[in-house]
Amino acid sequence: MSELFPGFAAQTVDTDEGVHIQTRVGGSGPPLLLLHGHPQTHALWHKVTPALARHFTVVLADLRGYGDSSKPTGLPDHENYSKRVMARDMLRVMQSLGHGRFRVMAHDRGARVAHRLAADHGDAVQRLVLLDIAPTLAMYEQTSEAFARAYWHWFFLIQPAPLPERFLLADPEAYVREVMGRRNAGLAPFDPRALAEYIRCARQPETAHGVCEDYRAAAGIDLVHDREDRDRGHRLATPLLALWGEQGVVHRCFDPLAEWRRVATDVRGEALPCGHYIAEEAPQALLQRALPFLLEDLQ
């Protein structure tokens, strides 16, 4: 991992009782938090961090349940894997590093955590870049056959424990390679060192449960929180840039820009020439679009 992030320092941050978050920090300037998706770790950012670190103090973090962060046993209602709790993890990480206000760029599951972070702690999040998702509530309420076939794991991982955990534990490497390799670009975009890191972390016995609990929370308590926001008319005020892959499932099955404009007041965005794994498939296109947005009020 030090080869992927030269000059970055690893640090463990305690957030809840018995829960720690693994981080890596480098660069200088205003703080920028980067959050990964499934079934990955913070290693996914390695192609874009050199450019970002020239402008920002970059904080990379493994989500609760992933990477080298804690993977606690899920509660009956999965509340301790709710995006509200996972967002609070990240707020405490940034506060512990001395950053009361910061920018966020996040992909996939991490982008869902970032959405909740901005919803619950809008004063802390200055700018928000979300990669290849539409809001969780919109995606569940608009599920089509095409979406269910492509995102089959959304519906498999939420099944009661321990059924999906047993399947993931049977061959973690095969799971990572299948989930990531079935996308439009296959496994070609992934640096072998990063792919090895995803597989290493997937092999940790607790990871299977952490991953499933993340998805179980998304299909349950997270929807409760999202509907509460909708019912009371709460919308994100944080400036938001939504980017997604024009060759991906989100582009085919949803209208991401329209959906984000339903839940946020200041939204811009577009499709990029890639699939789901934007930071690894199209790092330069991502930087060209995200960097000006992140730097906009710092010029």
Side-chain angles (χ1 to χ4, degrees):
M1 287 291 287
S2 60
E3 295 178 1
L4 293 177
F5 299 101
F8 278 64
Q11 183 174 338
T12 299
V13 177
D14 294 329
T15 58
D16 283 340
E17 183 178 352
V19 174
H20 68 266
I21 299 297
Q22 184 65 36
T23 71
R24 197 173 294 268
V25 183
S28 62
L32 171 64
L33 173 65
L34 302 183
L35 300 178
H36 66 87
H38 166 83
Q40 299 176 286
T41 72
H42 73 266
L44 79 86
W45 299 108
H46 69 97
K47 293 182 181 179
V48 297
T49 46
L52 293 172
R54 289 195 287 269
H55 302 278
F56 298 100
T57 297
V58 178
V59 179
L60 307 159
D62 287 341
L63 299 173
R64 174 187 296 232
Y66 291 83
D68 288 317
S69 290
S70 292
K71 305 163 183 70
T73 300
L75 298 174
D77 64 354
H78 319 296
E79 187 271 340
N80 60 331
Y81 280 88
S82 69
K83 302 309 160 291
R84 174 158 287 160
V85 168
M86 294 170 80
R88 191 173 66 220
D89 282 339
M90 297 306 152
L91 181 67
R92 289 176 175 170
V93 163
M94 297 303 282
Q95 290 173 338
S96 75
L97 297 173
H99 308 309
R101 302 186 72 214
F102 48 91
R103 290 154 171 75
V104 183
M105 182 158 66
H107 175 249
D108 189 70
R109 309 307 295 178
R112 303 189 190 285
V113 175
H115 176 195
R116 179 47 58 188
L117 181 59
D120 288 357
H121 308 284
D123 290 344
V125 181
Q126 296 169 300
R127 286 185 170 265
L128 188 61
V129 181
L130 302 181
L131 303 182
D132 210 58
I133 69 165
T136 305
L137 181 58
M139 292 178 73
Y140 270 116
E141 289 189 340
Q142 299 174 37
T143 292
S144 64
E145 180 183 352
F147 173 65
R149 286 181 179 274
Y151 272 31
W152 57 271
H153 58 288
W154 272 43
F155 307 96
F156 170 64
L157 297 175
I158 67 175
Q159 299 307 309
L163 176 64
E165 283 93 335
R166 286 174 176 164
F167 279 85
L168 269 60
L169 287 168
D171 195 338
E173 179 174 351
Y175 177 77
V176 170
R177 289 182 177 275
E178 283 292 318
V179 168
M180 295 173 61
R182 283 189 183 185
R183 309 276 185 165
N184 67 296
L187 293 173
F190 304 109
D191 186 298
R193 296 168 296 178
L195 184 60
E197 179 67 6
Y198 306 147
I199 292 169
R200 177 188 72 82
C201 292
R203 285 175 172 157
Q204 295 177 17
E206 300 87 359
T207 295
H209 182 64
V211 165
C212 292
E213 284 298 295
D214 168 27
Y215 281 83
R216 289 174 183 133
I221 192 167
D222 290 344
L223 299 183
V224 173
H225 295 156
D226 290 347
R227 289 188 176 111
E228 288 173 349
D229 283 350
R230 183 177 64 185
D231 291 347
R232 63 191 178 95
H234 176 60
R235 303 174 73 199
L236 304 185
T238 304
L240 190 160
L241 176 65
L243 301 172
W244 61 95
E246 65 183 4
Q247 299 157 19
V249 174
V250 170
H251 182 72
R252 292 199 305 271
C253 295
F254 303 95
D255 184 343
L257 204 55
E259 295 302 334
W260 283 115
R261 285 174 172 160
R262 295 181 196 276
V263 301
T265 60
D266 182 356
V267 180
R268 66 196 85 170
E270 64 190 70
L272 297 181
C274 60
H276 178 62
Y277 297 101
I278 295 174
E280 289 165 294
E281 293 181 46
Q284 291 309 309
L286 172 58
L287 288 168
Q288 288 170 8
R289 192 64 183 86
L291 251 180
F293 173 80
L294 291 168
L295 291 168
E296 195 169 295
D297 55 359
L298 296 173
Q299 302 296 341

